[in-house]
C-alpha cells in the first residue's frame, strides 16, 4: 500500500478537533430535541446518589449559539486539573529525556534482552501496563506512558504501538479490573454486595482481554515490520523519543541511575499517597514537578537550560492538554441543557420487556452510550445504578450481573471515548491523535466486546451473584 493511500484511510475518521466539535454541536442540538429532566439526589457518605423512580421533567434549558461557544472556556475551567497534569507529566519526561536517562535505560534494556526477543518484550510490557491499570488506577499511571513510546521506537515499532502497549493495556486493565474501586467498588456499595465479590469471572475476562490486546500489538508490530507503509504512525512527531546511537553503545551511567531512582522514588511516593492519603490529580502534578526539578539538579543543568526544557516540554504537551479541555466542553453542555438524566431515563425505559439474555447485553450497550456523556466511572455508577439495579431485578437479572454489565459498558467504551479526559491525556503523552488511535484500536475493541458479551451470557446462565 502506498503512503498516499495509507494516509487517505485516516480521512475516513475526522480529525480529533473536527470530531469533538461535531459532538459539541450534536449535544447542543439535543438540548432542543430532548426534554430537560432530573432525578432527585441524596447524599450517601458525602456523595450525591440518584433516588430510583424520581425522574421528572423540568423547564427546558436549551443551549443557545453563544452559550455553545461559552461552554468551551467553561470546559477548560472544569478540566484544569487534568490539563495541568498533562503539562506536568510532559515537563517531567522532558527533564528525564534531557538527562538521557530514559534513552540509556531503554537502550540498555533492549541490548540486554536482545532484539530477537522483541515480540516477547511487547507481550510482557502489555501485561505490565495492564496490571498497572488493574491495581493502581488510570490517570495515576500517566507518567509511565512516554516510556512505552521510547521502548516501542527502540524495538522498531511506532507511536501507535506504544499507545497499544500502554494506553490500550491500562484502559482494559482499569476498565475490567475485578478490584476497580470507582466502578465495581462503587457499584457494590450501592447494591449492598460484598466489596469486590464475584472476582473470578471478572478476573478471567480481564486477563483474557489483556491477552487479546498483547496478541493484537504483536500482530500490528509484525505487519509494520514487513511493510512500514502500513504504519498508522506515519508523520507523527518522534523527536526526542528515538535512540540516537547503535544499541551496542548503550550503558547506564551513575547519573542515569540517580535520575531513574528519583523517578521510581516519586512513583512510590505517589502510590503511598494515593492509597493512604487519597491523593489525586493535583498531588500527582506536584510530585511530577518535584521529580523534574530534582532530575535537573542532579544532572547539573543550568537555570537557562532548565527554563528552556520546561518551555520545550510544554510546547510538546500543549496539543494534548488542549484536547482535554475541549472534550470537557461536552460535559458542560450536558449540564447546561439538563439532558444527562433524560438520556439515562430513556435508555432504561428501552430495556423494559426485553428477553433475559438480551436485556443483559442491551443494559451494557446502554451504559456504553451513557459513558460518552458521563465519562466518569464513579459518576456514571452513582447516576445510573440506582435506576438500573431495581430495573435489572424486575427483568430477572441479579445485582452482580447488572454491575458487570455496567462495568463492561463503561470500561471498554473508554478505549474510544473522545470525551474521556484521561484517555486524551495519555494519548497525548504518546503524541497519538485520537482519530488515528480509533483506527488502530477499534477492531480489537469489537473482539473484546464480543468476549465480554459472552461473559455476560455465562453470568446470566449461571445466575452470577
Amino acid at each position: 500500500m502506498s503512503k498516499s493511500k495509507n494516509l487517505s484511510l485516516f480521512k475516513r475518521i475526522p480529525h480529533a478537533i473536527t470530531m469533538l466539535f461535531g459532538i459539541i454541536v450534536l449535544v447542543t442540538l439535543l438540548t432542543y430535541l430532548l426534554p430537560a429532566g432530573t432525578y432527585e439526589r441524596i447524599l450517601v457518605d458525602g456523595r450525591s446518589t440518584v433516588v430510583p423512580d424520581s425522574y421528572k421533567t423540568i423547564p427546558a434549558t436549551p443551549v443557545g449559539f453563544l452559550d455553545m461557544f461559552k461552554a468551551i472556556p467553561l470546559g477548560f475551567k472544569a478540566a484544569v486539573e487534568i490539563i495541568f497534569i498533562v503539562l506536568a507529566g510532559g515537563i517531567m519526561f522532558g527533564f528525564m529525556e534531557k538527562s538521557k536517562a530514559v534513552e540509556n535505560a531503554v537502550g540498555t534494556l533492549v541490548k540486554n534482552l536482545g532484539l530477537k526477543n522483541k515480540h516477547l518484550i511487547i507481550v510482557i510490557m502489555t501485561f505490565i501496563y495492564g496490571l498497572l491499570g488493574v491495581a493502581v488506577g488510570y490517570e495515576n499511571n500517566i507518567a509511565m506512558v512516554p516510556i512505552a513510546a521510547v521502548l516501542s521506537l527502540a524495538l522498531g515499532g511506532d507511536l501507535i504501538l506504544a499507545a497499544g502497549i500502554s494506553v490500550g493495556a491500562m484502559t482494559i486493565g482499569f476498565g475490567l479490573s475485578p478490584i476497580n474501586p470507582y466502578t465495581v467498588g462503587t457499584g457494590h456499595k450501592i447494591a449492598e454486595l460484598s466489596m469486590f465479590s464475584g472476582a473470578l469471572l471478572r478476573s478471567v475476562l480481564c486477563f483474557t482481554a489483556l491477552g487479546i490486546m498483547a496478541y493484537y500489538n504483536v500482530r500490528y508490530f509484525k505487519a509494520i515490520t514487513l511493510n512500514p507503509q502500513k504504519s498508522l504512525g506515519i508523520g507523527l512527531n518522534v523527536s526526542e523519543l528515538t535512540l540516537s546511537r547503535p544499541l551496542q553503545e548503550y550503558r547506564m551511567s551513575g547519573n542515569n541511575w540517580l535520575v531513574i531512582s528519583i523517578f521510581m522514588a516519586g512513583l512510590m511516593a505517589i502510590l503511598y499517597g494515593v492509597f493512604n492519603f487519597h491523593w489525586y490529580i493535583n498531588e500527582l502534578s506536584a510530585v511530577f514537578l518535584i521529580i523534574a526539578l530534582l532530575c535537573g539538579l542532579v544532572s547539573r543543568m543550568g537555570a537557562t537550560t532548565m527554563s528552556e526544557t520546561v518551555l520545550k516540554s510544554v510546547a510538546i504537551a500543549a496539543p494534548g492538554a488542549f484536547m482535554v479541555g475541549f472534550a470537557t466542553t461536552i460535559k458542560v453542555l450536558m449540564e447546561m441543557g439538563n439532558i444527562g438524566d433524560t438520556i439515562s431515563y430513556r435508555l432504561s425505559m428501552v430495556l423494559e420487556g426485553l428477553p433475559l439474555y438480551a436485556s443483559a447485553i442491551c443494559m451494557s450497550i446502554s451504559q456504553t452510550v451513557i459513558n460518552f456523556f458521563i465519562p466518569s466511572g464513579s459518576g456514571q455508577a452513582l447516576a445510573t445504578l440506582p435506576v438500573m439495579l431495581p430495573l435489572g431485578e424486575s427483568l430477572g437479572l441479579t445485582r452482580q450481573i447488572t454491575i458487570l454489565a455496567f462495568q463492561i459498558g463503561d470500561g471498554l467504551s473508554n478505549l474510544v471515548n473522545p470525551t474521556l479526559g484521561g484517555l486524551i491525556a495519555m494519548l497525548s503523552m504518546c503524541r497519538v491523535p485520537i482519530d488515528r488511535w480509533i483506527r488502530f484500536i477499534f477492531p480489537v475493541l469489537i473482539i473484546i466486546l464480543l468476549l465480554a458479551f459472552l461473559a455476560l451470557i455465562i453470568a446470566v446462565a449461571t445466575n452470577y451473584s
Side-chain angles (χ1 to χ4, degrees):
M1 182 184 291
S2 68
K3 181 176 179 179
S4 61
K5 288 182 179 178
N6 193 31
L7 288 175
S8 68
L9 293 176
F10 301 146
K11 297 179 180 178
R12 297 184 182 180
I13 296 178
H15 187 279
I17 294 288
T18 306
M19 183 191 309
L20 285 173
F21 187 71
I23 297 174
I24 287 170
V25 173
L26 174 61
V27 171
T28 301
L29 292 175
L30 287 177
T31 65
Y32 289 88
L33 299 175
L34 295 176
T38 184
Y39 282 103
E40 292 181 15
R41 285 170 167 80
I42 57 174
L43 286 178
V44 178
D45 295 330
R47 307 181 74 179
S48 178
T49 306
V50 163
V51 176
D53 299 321
S54 65
Y55 176 81
K56 62 181 179 181
T57 58
I58 60 176
T61 54
V63 177
F65 183 75
L66 178 62
D67 285 338
M68 181 180 77
F69 285 91
K70 180 181 175 182
I72 296 175
L74 292 176
F76 277 78
K77 181 180 178 181
V80 65
E81 294 181 355
I82 300 180
I83 291 171
F84 189 79
I85 200 174
V86 173
L87 299 178
I91 291 169
M92 178 188 68
F93 184 75
F95 274 82
M96 294 180 66
E97 182 278 326
K98 187 70 174 177
S99 72
K100 297 297 181 182
V102 174
E103 180 183 346
N104 288 337
V106 171
T108 303
L109 173 67
V110 175
K111 180 183 73 172
N112 292 338
L113 293 179
L115 285 174
K116 62 182 179 181
N117 295 316
K118 53 192 174 184
H119 295 158
L120 179 60
I121 294 173
I122 291 172
V123 172
I124 291 173
M125 293 307 295
T126 301
F127 272 94
I128 288 175
Y129 276 98
L131 287 172
L132 287 173
V134 169
V136 178
Y138 200 52
E139 290 92 347
N140 301 342
N141 295 309
I142 192 171
M144 302 297 293
V145 175
I147 296 174
V150 179
L151 177 64
S152 175
L153 295 173
L155 293 173
D158 59 11
L159 294 179
I160 301 293
L161 176 63
I165 292 172
S166 57
V167 182
M170 287 193 295
T171 305
I172 291 171
F174 179 73
L176 297 180
S177 171
I179 54 173
N180 187 319
Y182 305 102
T183 54
V184 179
T186 302
H188 281 162
K189 193 167 186 177
I190 295 171
E192 299 179 342
L193 296 173
S194 298
M195 191 64 68
F196 305 134
S197 56
L200 178 60
L201 180 59
R202 287 189 175 88
S203 298
V204 172
L205 174 60
C206 179
F207 288 101
T208 303
L210 285 174
I212 294 171
M213 187 75 245
Y215 169 79
Y216 190 76
N217 285 335
V218 172
R219 182 173 176 270
Y220 174 78
F221 178 68
K222 289 179 178 179
I224 63 174
T225 301
L226 292 174
N227 185 359
Q229 296 302 317
K230 290 185 177 181
S231 169
L232 295 174
I234 294 174
L236 297 181
N237 177 19
V238 297
S239 63
E240 316 295 344
L241 294 175
T242 56
L243 300 186
S244 59
R245 55 189 190 274
L247 281 176
Q248 294 73 18
E249 298 181 13
Y250 279 96
R251 66 179 183 84
M252 291 287 286
S253 67
N255 183 263
N256 293 156
W257 280 114
L258 184 55
V259 169
I260 295 298
S261 297
I262 291 171
F263 175 68
M264 295 304 298
L267 291 184
M268 292 301 103
I270 286 173
L271 290 177
Y272 185 81
V274 166
F275 290 112
N276 291 279
F277 301 112
H278 306 291
W279 284 5
Y280 196 46
I281 299 294
N282 288 336
E283 290 82 4
L284 269 61
S285 294
V287 174
F288 290 170
L289 294 178
I290 292 170
I291 293 172
L293 177 61
L294 293 177
C295 289
L297 292 175
V298 301
S299 300
R300 297 183 176 87
M301 298 181 193
T304 300
T305 300
M306 293 176 72
S307 299
E308 291 174 347
T309 301
V310 169
L311 293 180
K312 184 177 181 180
S313 302
V314 167
I316 293 173
F322 174 85
M323 291 300 296
V324 171
F326 198 49
T328 310
T329 302
I330 297 164
K331 176 178 178 290
V332 173
L333 287 169
M334 296 282 291
E335 293 172 352
M336 293 170 66
N338 290 294
I339 58 172
D341 285 352
T342 298
I343 292 172
S344 299
Y345 173 75
R346 292 285 181 89
L347 287 172
S348 68
M349 292 300 99
V350 171
L351 299 176
E352 292 187 354
L354 288 177
L356 186 61
Y357 290 94
S359 64
I361 293 174
C362 288
M363 182 176 288
S364 185
I365 294 172
S366 71
Q367 293 287 4
T368 295
V369 174
I370 294 170
N371 191 39
F372 285 89
F373 299 100
I374 311 175
S376 164
S378 58
Q380 187 176 342
L382 292 166
T384 63
L385 285 181
V387 177
M388 292 296 185
L389 284 167
L391 175 62
E393 289 183 319
S394 70
L395 295 171
L397 302 175
T398 67
R399 294 188 171 197
Q400 198 74 264
I401 293 172
T402 297
I403 293 171
L404 179 63
F406 156 70
Q407 183 184 18
I408 290 169
D410 168 77
L412 292 181
S413 60
N414 284 338
L415 284 167
V416 294
N417 189 351
T419 68
L420 179 64
L423 175 67
I424 303 297
M426 288 197 283
L427 287 176
S428 73
M429 300 299 282
C430 276
R431 305 180 190 177
V432 173
I434 193 169
D435 49 318
R436 297 201 190 190
W437 168 251
I438 291 175
R439 274 196 46 75
F440 167 78
I441 201 66
F442 196 77
V444 76
L445 170 61
I446 296 301
I447 294 170
I448 296 175
L449 269 177
L450 292 175
L451 171 69
F453 290 159
L454 176 61
L456 269 177
I457 291 172
I458 293 173
V460 175
T462 59
N463 203 34
Y464 175 56
S465 59

